[in-house]
Amino acid sequence: MKSLIFPVLYLATSTLYAQTQLFVAPSGSNSNPGTLARPLASLEKALTKVKSAPSDKVYIYLRKGIYYLPKTIRVDPQITQGKSLTISNYQTETAQLSGGRRLQLRWKKNSNGVWTALVTGPAFEQLFVNGQKQVLARYPNYDAKARVYNGTAADALSEERISRWKSPKGGYVHALHKGEWGDFHYRITGKEAGQLKLQGGWQNNRPAPMHPQERFVENIAEELDAPGEWFYNRTTHILSLMPPPGVNLTTARMDVSHLKGLIELKGNPTEPLKNVHVHSIRFVNAERTFMGTNEPLLRSDWMIYRGAAAFLENTENCQFTNCEFTELGGNALFMSGYNRKSVVKGSYFHAIGASAICFVGDSSAVRSPAFRYEAFVPYARQDRQAGPKREAYPAQCMAEDNLIHHIGQLEKQAAGVEISMASGIVVRHNSIYQVPRAGINISEGTWGGHLLEYNDVFDTVLETGDHGSFNSWGRDRFWHPDRATMDSLVAAHPELVDLDARAATIIRNNRFRCDHGWDIDLDDGSSNYIITNNVCLNGGLKLREGFNRVAENNILVNNSFHPHVWFNNSGDVFRRNIVMRPYAPIGVTDWGKEVDFNVFPDQAALQKAQKNGTDAHSLAGDPQFMNAAKGDYRVMSDSPALKVGFENFLMNQFGVQRPALRFIAETPKLPVLLNAQLEETVNEMVWLGATIRNVQGLGDRSAFGLPDEKGIIVVNIPDESLLAASGLQRGDVIRTANNEEVPTIGRLVAVQQQINWTGRLPVTIIRNQQTIGLTLPLK
C-alpha cells in the first residue's frame, strides 16, 4: 500500500514547504500567469517559467484534456536550474500528452463505401478515430485471432498480387526472421519487372531471409477493402477511409500521429538532470519508428531505436510514476546512456508498437565491444581490464510495480523490460504478458548486478521462436561462435569470463510461464546468475554455455532442467529444485560444480540422472503441493522436497501490487499437473485447440485398428485450431511424439513441453490402419 499512496502524499503535503505552482489547461492562454483561475495553455510555456520560479520546488499541474504537442517537450538543467520539478495531473483529472495532431476534415462519401478528405500538414502513419487506432490498408486483412502480425500470407509478395498495385512506392513489407528470431521491415521504393524494390531489413542483428509465410504488406492503396482500413496518398494529400461500423465521420474526432518522442528528460555528461518527477500523465499517439531500428546492441540478436515516447539520458533521481503509455508506435520509455537511480513505477503500458521499458547504455562504455553474433575481438587485441570504461550506462535504476501487456505490436524483437549495457537494474513486481518475444530480456553480460524479483511473466514468445519468458544472452569478451575456439580460449584464459558480467544477476521469487519456449532461458554464455525461488509453470529452465550459474530452490512444473553444451569447469550449480520430468541435456559431458539434492517425479527419472554421475542425494516422489489447482506450489510437511533441503516460499506476491493495476491485471493460466502419478488421470482435454482423448479399452482398439490399447484419439479439430492446417484429421490416433511413445495425453503433453522451443512436434499417427508421419505446429 505504501508504494501506491506515496506519490499522492508527496503532492498533498508538499504545500507545507516553499514551492511554486503553475497550472495548465487546454482552455488556458499562454498570456495568463499560470494560476488555477488563469491557467497557461501549454506545458512548454509553463517550463519557461521554472527558471525564474522563486522557490526550489516547482509543480506544474495539467488540467483535464488532450495536449497536442507541436514538438517534443524537452526538460534540461537549463530549465530546472537545480530545482526539483514535478509535472502532474491535477487531482484526479486525466491529462494526456499526445504525439498526434487533430484533423478538421470535410468528408466526401464515394460509391464504393470509402470516404475521402483532403489533409494538410505532414504525412502520418497512424490514424485514430475517437481514440481508436484504425488499420492501415494491408494484405492480408487484419485478423485479431491470427498468431503473427494479426494476419500473414505466403502470397503477400507474389507477382500476381504485385501486378494489382499501380504505384506501391511508400508501402511496407513486414516479416518475421526466417528462423523466427525477431522481425524485418522494408520500405517499398518502387517496382520493376513485376518485383518490388525494397529498402530495409536491418532491424535484426542476425541477418537472414524474411520468413516465407509470416509476412504482410501495408500502406498499399489497392488493399483498402475492409471496414476500419485507411490510406493516405502523400502526393495528392487525400485520406481515404472505410469507416468502422457505427462511426459517424462527420462528428468523430480524427487524430493522426506526428511526433516520435513526446517528452525528453535530458542532462549533459557534466551536468545531469536531477529530481524531475512526471506523475499520472497519459502518453498517447506517438509515431511509428520501425525503420529507425538499426542500432546493434553488441552481439545480441537485437537492433534498437534509441528513442521513445518518454526518453531519459544523463539523469539522476528522475521518476515516472502512475503514468499510462498507450497507442504508441515505438518504444514507450527509454533510459539511455548515463542514468542513476531513476525510476518508472506504478505505470500502465499497453498497445505499444515496440518495447515498454528499456535500460540501454552506450557502447562507448564497453571494453572491446563487438557488434554481431559472428564478430569477435581477438584475445591479443582485447582490452582485458574488467568492467566499463566510462559511465555512459544506466545503473541503480528501477522498473517497479508496472502493468505491461500487448506490446511489440509491430516490432517483434521487443520486450516488456529490455536491459543492455547496464548495471544494477531492479525489475520488481511487474506483470508482463501478451508479448511477441521475451517478457524480460538481458542482451549481454555487461555488467550484471541486476535484481529481478516478484514479477509475473506469461503469455510470451507468442509470435516468434527459440526464446523464453525471461531471456538472456552472454556473448561477452570470452564468447566465440565457434565452440572449439571458445573452449580453448577460456581454458587458457579463464579470467576472461569475469570481465564483463562483474556482479551476479539475481532472478528470484518470480512466476514465469512460456508455452512456446523456456520459462527461463539463459542462452549463449550467460554467466554469473543466481536463480532461486521461482515458479516455472510450463517451459522449464535452460542454461546454455556460460559460467557460475546457481539454480536453487526452484519449482519446474510439468517440465525440467535443460542444460545445453556446458563448459568443463563451468562452476554451475543445480540443487534443491523440484523437477517433474527427466533432465533434458544436450551436449553436456561435464555437469558443473554440483547437481544434487533435487526431487524427481519417479525413480526412472532419478536413475537416469544418476547414470550421469549427478544427484547422489536426490529423491523421487510426489512433491505434494499444497494446492496446485490454485497456484500454491508450497509443499506439505511430508514432501520429499523438504528432506533434501527445499524451502517453501510465498506464492501470493507475484506481479503488480498497485491496487488500481492489480484489479485489471491478468494472471497466468495454471497447468494441470502431468507428473508420473497424475498422467493417467487426464483422459480428455483441449490441446492446441483440438479436442483429444486417451484410447480406452478394447472397443477403441478394435474401432481404430490399433495393435494395442495405447495412444491419443483426435476427437475434433475446429477450423480456428492451430492444428487445422497441420494434416491431422478427426479420428487419427497419435502414437509417438518426437520419436517417443505417447500412450496417454499426459505423456504427449510432457513431450511437447520438452521441445516447445522448436515450434514443431514430429508425430506418427495411425489412420485407417496405416502409420503416417506428420509435423505439428506448436504455435
Side-chain angles (χ1 to χ4, degrees):
M1 189 64 179
K2 180 180 178 182
S3 63
L4 172 69
I5 65 173
F6 172 76
V8 177
L9 290 176
Y10 177 78
L11 295 177
T13 61
S14 62
T15 55
L16 299 175
Y17 306 96
Q19 63 175 254
T20 298
Q21 295 184 342
L22 297 168
F23 294 85
V24 182
S27 59
S29 169
N30 283 339
S31 61
N32 285 342
T35 62
L36 181 60
R38 299 179 63 200
L40 298 164
S42 70
L43 175 56
E44 186 176 26
K45 182 64 176 179
L47 289 170
T48 66
K49 295 181 175 291
V50 174
K51 181 177 181 179
S52 59
S55 57
D56 291 335
K57 298 180 184 293
V58 181
Y59 294 83
I60 298 175
Y61 293 108
L62 303 184
R63 301 298 307 273
K64 180 180 179 180
I66 301 175
Y67 297 82
Y68 294 95
L69 303 177
K71 61 181 181 180
T72 302
I73 295 294
R74 291 182 171 87
V75 184
D76 59 34
Q78 287 68 45
I79 286 176
T80 60
Q81 294 290 301
K83 299 177 172 68
S84 71
L85 170 65
T86 297
I87 301 170
S88 173
N89 69 324
Y90 178 67
Q91 297 184 349
T92 61
E93 297 179 0
T94 300
Q96 303 187 67
L97 294 184
S98 172
R101 59 190 181 95
R102 180 82 176 269
L103 301 182
Q104 301 292 343
L105 302 176
R106 294 185 176 182
W107 290 100
K108 176 183 177 182
K109 185 178 180 181
N110 299 288
S111 57
N112 57 0
V114 175
W115 294 58
T116 58
L118 178 66
V119 177
T120 59
F124 49 91
E125 293 191 353
Q126 297 198 98
L127 171 68
F128 304 89
V129 177
N130 293 329
Q132 299 298 311
K133 185 168 70 174
Q134 305 302 297
V135 177
L136 185 53
R138 53 171 285 166
Y139 176 80
N141 285 340
Y142 183 93
D143 178 0
K145 296 181 179 180
R147 182 180 75 88
V148 179
Y149 281 127
N150 297 116
T152 57
D155 68 342
L157 298 179
S158 67
E159 289 190 25
E160 189 278 332
R161 182 154 294 276
I162 292 172
S163 69
R164 306 178 188 180
W165 304 337
K166 180 179 179 181
S167 180
K169 182 179 179 180
Y172 293 107
V173 177
H174 306 280
L176 288 189
H177 185 286
K178 185 178 181 180
E180 297 190 344
W181 297 343
D183 53 331
F184 297 113
H185 308 270
Y186 304 83
R187 180 183 290 112
I188 301 171
T189 60
K191 73 174 183 176
E192 188 175 283
Q195 298 295 318
L196 295 180
K197 298 168 69 175
L198 302 175
Q199 177 189 51
W202 48 62
Q203 294 85 359
N204 194 292
N205 205 24
R206 297 287 295 276
M210 68 175 76
H211 198 286
Q213 167 68 35
E214 310 295 1
R215 53 175 69 175
F216 79 102
V217 294
E218 68 168 356
N219 203 32
I220 306 290
E222 289 82 358
E223 300 299 344
L224 176 54
D225 60 1
E229 285 194 345
W230 64 278
F231 175 78
Y232 176 66
N233 189 313
R234 297 189 180 208
T235 301
T236 65
H237 307 292
I238 296 296
L239 170 64
S240 300
L241 169 65
M242 188 174 290
V247 171
N248 183 346
L249 292 185
T250 61
T251 59
R253 188 180 88 238
M254 310 293 297
D255 295 336
V256 295
S257 53
H258 174 46
L259 301 175
K260 295 178 180 178
L262 277 60
I263 187 168
E264 289 185 359
L265 308 187
K266 195 169 183 179
N268 304 301
T270 58
E271 187 182 11
L273 177 66
K274 301 179 181 181
N275 304 319
V276 176
H277 182 189
V278 181
H279 176 75
S280 292
I281 302 296
R282 193 170 192 260
F283 297 89
V284 298
N285 297 6
E287 185 57 280
R288 307 193 301 181
T289 60
F290 59 89
M291 289 305 292
T293 302
N294 57 13
E295 178 187 343
L297 294 184
L298 300 184
R299 289 194 285 176
S300 79
D301 291 2
W302 277 57
M303 295 284 189
I304 203 162
Y305 172 75
R306 195 174 286 270
F311 184 81
L312 297 83
E313 189 169 76
N314 293 318
T315 74
E316 295 179 3
N317 297 301
C318 289
Q319 301 181 54
F320 281 76
T321 61
N322 294 24
C323 292
E324 182 177 4
F325 297 81
T326 187
E327 298 297 1
L328 303 173
N331 301 316
L333 186 143
F334 200 118
M335 294 193 192
S336 169
Y338 178 88
N339 290 274
R340 295 293 185 273
K341 298 182 180 179
S342 290
V343 173
V344 52
K345 182 175 181 179
S347 294
Y348 184 22
F349 298 81
H350 59 114
I352 306 297
S355 293
I357 302 170
C358 300
F359 301 93
V360 180
D362 191 283
S363 61
S364 65
V366 181
R367 299 181 188 275
S368 300
F371 295 95
R372 284 275 290 273
Y373 174 90
E374 67 276 11
F376 179 75
V377 178
Y379 178 80
R381 297 208 307 266
Q382 284 190 13
D383 175 348
R384 291 190 288 277
Q385 186 170 336
K389 64 180 180 182
R390 55 190 299 259
E391 294 190 331
Y393 59 93
Q396 295 88 53
C397 295
M398 183 164 61
E400 181 176 21
D401 206 18
N402 301 292
L403 174 56
I404 301 168
H405 64 84
H406 289 89
I407 66 163
Q409 293 191 313
L410 190 58
E411 300 187 48
K412 303 307 175 185
Q413 196 72 279
V417 178
E418 165 65 10
I419 301 172
S420 176
M421 298 173 283
S423 176
I425 304 301
V426 175
V427 182
R428 175 186 293 139
H429 277 304
N430 302 284
S431 291
I432 305 172
Y433 53 90
Q434 285 293 320
V435 301
R437 206 143 172 75
I440 303 172
N441 186 76
I442 298 179
S443 282
E444 73 293 309
T446 51
W447 288 274
H450 313 304
L451 174 60
L452 283 52
E453 63 180 359
Y454 299 108
N455 299 290
D456 204 8
V457 187
F458 57 97
D459 287 351
T460 60
V461 196
L462 294 180
E463 299 182 60
T464 58
D466 195 4
H467 217 53
S469 289
F470 169 82
N471 178 80
S472 65
W473 292 289
R475 300 166 188 165
D476 302 329
R477 273 176 274 183
F478 76 87
W479 193 87
H480 194 285
D482 177 75
R483 182 57 194 262
T485 300
M486 182 163 53
D487 281 343
S488 62
L489 180 67
V490 298
H493 305 286
E495 72 280 359
L496 287 179
V497 305
D498 297 321
L499 296 184
D500 292 309
R502 296 296 297 153
T505 289
I506 298 172
I507 304 176
R508 68 187 184 197
N509 297 298
N510 303 282
R511 182 168 61 184
F512 296 105
R513 175 164 183 165
C514 186
D515 288 57
H516 310 293
W518 291 278
D519 293 338
I520 300 176
D521 181 1
L522 270 63
D523 207 1
D524 286 1
S526 300
S527 298
N528 203 357
Y529 278 77
I530 298 173
I531 305 169
T532 183
N533 290 10
N534 299 285
V535 176
C536 296
L537 291 175
N538 189 77
L541 166 64
K542 168 189 160 189
L543 303 181
R544 178 185 172 93
E545 299 169 328
F547 294 86
N548 303 322
R549 286 85 57 95
V550 176
E552 186 169 18
N553 218 75
N554 301 287
I555 303 169
L556 309 184
V557 179
N558 289 351
N559 210 305
S560 190
F561 179 38
H562 297 253
H564 290 187
V565 287
W566 280 12
F567 290 97
N568 292 329
N569 303 313
S570 67
D572 287 337
V573 173
F574 184 80
R575 67 184 170 214
R576 298 188 178 92
N577 302 284
I578 298 173
V579 303
M580 297 176 67
R581 290 285 154 221
Y583 295 159
I586 297 177
V588 176
T589 57
D590 185 304
W591 282 80
K593 182 178 179 180
E594 181 183 5
V595 178
D596 204 356
F597 298 98
N598 300 297
V599 173
F600 288 81
D602 51 50
Q603 286 294 330
L606 173 57
Q607 292 169 6
K608 182 178 180 181
Q610 289 176 336
K611 288 179 180 179
N612 295 316
T614 68
D615 294 286
H617 303 93
S618 296
L619 298 176
D622 185 347
Q624 299 183 45
F625 297 129
M626 289 188 181
N627 194 345
K630 298 293 186 180
D632 187 351
Y633 297 98
R634 292 176 299 167
V635 299
M636 292 186 284
S637 60
D638 55 347
S639 167
L642 297 179
K643 298 176 183 178
V644 297
F646 178 87
E647 296 180 0
N648 281 322
F649 55 94
L650 292 176
M651 297 283 161
N652 60 358
Q653 299 296 307
F654 306 121
V656 67
Q657 301 295 296
R658 181 185 165 203
L661 297 179
R662 191 173 180 85
F663 180 75
I664 62 174
E666 296 182 11
T667 56
K669 182 180 179 181
L670 297 173
V672 176
L673 293 185
L674 294 172
N675 61 18
Q677 287 74 26
L678 297 178
E679 272 184 10
E680 302 301 327
T681 67
V682 181
N683 291 315
E684 183 170 329
M685 68 180 295
V686 175
W687 179 69
L688 303 178
T691 302
I692 57 176
R693 70 171 177 85
N694 288 335
V695 171
Q696 296 176 347
L698 290 173
D700 281 345
R701 179 177 178 179
S702 175
F704 293 96
L706 305 178
D708 50 37
E709 297 172 26
K710 299 177 182 178
I712 300 102
I713 299 168
V714 180
V715 177
N716 186 38
I717 305 179
D719 291 342
E720 65 273 15
S721 165
L722 184 62
L723 300 178
S726 68
L728 199 66
Q729 296 179 11
R730 181 178 178 179
D732 287 346
V733 181
I734 302 172
R735 297 280 293 179
T736 72
N738 198 34
N739 299 315
E740 181 178 339
E741 287 189 0
V742 285
T744 63
I745 286 173
R747 192 64 202 147
L748 172 66
V749 174
V751 172
Q752 171 210 336
Q753 289 167 335
Q754 295 276 22
I755 63 166
N756 258 330
W757 63 276
T758 66
R760 299 289 184 270
L761 179 63
V763 301
T764 60
I765 63 168
I766 290 181
R767 179 188 298 163
N768 298 325
Q769 301 185 31
Q770 300 295 316
T771 299
I772 300 172
L774 296 173
T775 299
L776 307 182
L778 297 179
K779 58 186 179 182

